């Protein structure tokens, strides 16, 4: 199966390097750009499965890029995860209203970012299903291609709604871990 191609548009070299390293380790193919103009060029070279887009770029606001893509039938359906140093609520709302699919504020947790990226790609292209096509949490395994759920190696029957709920829980496993770690709960 082909690997997921991620286009990173980020002008901070340290952040770009960190993102690239984490994504390569997770088995993704990475193309990187440091300006909006370079981002457009990369798009023409190869259609990414996901774009990680910074907002504050040397030649403009990432929101502009988002708007342009959403108006272009060739790129309209590519999921965009916006990454930004601006954490104000109104900035997040603006990003999402103008066509981003998800939004994360720096400094971000890499595991959470990867989980959210997987979620976006999976929703958009289920056949790519996060590389392995399987998600696991403790004894529970979901086989996304076969739409099968295994508990300790045994297949269990689930309704379509239960399947979707379980998928959401497993996609958000970094949060589950956070909650587990909270002793006051
Ligand atoms: Ca920036």
């Amino acid at each position: 199966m082909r690997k997921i191609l991620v286009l990173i548009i980020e002008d901070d070299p340290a952040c770009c390097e960190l993102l690239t390293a984490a994504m390569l380790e997770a088995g993704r193919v990475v193309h990187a750009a440091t300006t909006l103009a370079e981002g457009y060029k990369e798009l023409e070279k190869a259609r990414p499965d996901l774009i990680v887009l910074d907002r504050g770029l040397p030649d403009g606001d990432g929101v502009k890029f988002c708007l342009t893509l959403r108006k272009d039938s060739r790129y309209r359906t590519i999921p965009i995860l916006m990454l930004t140093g601006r954490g104000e609520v109104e900035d997040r709302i603006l990003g999402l209203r103008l066509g981003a699919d998800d939004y994360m504020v720096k400094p971000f947790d890499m595991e959470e970012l990867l989980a959210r990226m997987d979620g976006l790609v999976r929703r958009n292209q289920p056949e790519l299903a996060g590389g392995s096509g399987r998600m696991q949490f403790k004894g529970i395994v979901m086989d996304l291609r076969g739409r099968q759920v295994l508990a300790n190696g045994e297949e269990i029957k689930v309704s379509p709604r239960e399947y979707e709920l379980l998928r959401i829980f497993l996609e958000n496993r970094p949060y589950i871990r956070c909650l587990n770690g909270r002793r006051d709960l």
Side-chain angles (χ1 to χ4, degrees):
M1 191 165 66
R2 76 172 176 87
K3 289 185 175 180
I4 292 170
L5 171 61
V6 183
L7 170 60
I8 303 171
I9 308 178
E10 163 64 87
D11 63 323
D12 174 358
C15 185
C16 192
E17 211 170 288
L18 201 73
L19 283 166
T20 304
M23 287 179 202
L24 290 176
E25 206 189 310
R28 312 285 183 260
V29 177
V30 179
H31 288 182
T34 55
T35 60
L36 295 179
E38 268 180 44
Y40 291 122
K41 272 192 203 147
E42 287 297 330
L43 268 183
E44 277 165 24
K45 279 193 229 160
R47 189 185 194 279
D49 299 301
L50 176 93
I51 299 171
V52 176
L53 177 64
D54 185 29
R55 271 198 67 179
L57 291 160
D59 53 350
D61 190 327
V63 162
K64 220 169 75 183
F65 191 85
C66 230
L67 273 172
T68 311
L69 255 62
R70 292 305 178 236
K71 284 186 203 144
D72 189 326
S73 58
R74 290 171 299 168
Y75 308 125
R76 190 175 291 150
T77 58
I78 302 173
I80 298 175
L81 191 150
M82 253 194 191
L83 212 55
T84 183
R86 307 173 208 194
E88 304 296 332
V89 176
E90 51 269 39
D91 275 325
R92 294 192 204 207
I93 293 170
L94 181 74
L96 294 170
R97 280 235 169 100
L98 296 182
D101 298 277
D102 205 349
Y103 204 101
M104 282 193 78
V105 178
K106 296 174 191 172
F108 51 87
D109 178 81
M110 192 57 81
E111 203 174 341
E112 184 184 344
L113 178 85
L114 291 172
R116 288 198 191 197
M117 284 174 45
D118 280 355
L120 289 175
V121 172
R122 198 175 291 126
R123 240 162 277 152
N124 200 43
Q125 298 180 83
E127 72 284 3
L128 283 175
S132 68
R134 286 161 84 91
M135 287 199 291
Q136 184 162 10
F137 185 71
K138 299 196 172 165
I140 298 168
V141 175
M142 281 189 91
D143 174 353
L144 297 159
R145 274 179 237 137
R147 283 187 76 87
Q148 255 186 341
V149 179
L150 305 171
N152 300 317
E154 301 266 329
E155 188 186 350
I156 50 169
K157 290 277 165 234
V158 289
S159 70
R161 178 168 291 190
E162 287 165 340
Y163 180 91
E164 280 312 306
L165 277 173
L166 190 59
R167 186 180 60 76
I168 292 165
F169 285 138
L170 293 196
E171 268 176 19
N172 291 286
R173 59 199 185 282
Y175 311 115
I176 297 171
R177 252 205 300 282
C178 290
L179 291 173
N180 276 344
R182 276 183 63 184
R183 284 162 195 222
D184 54 328
L185 282 176

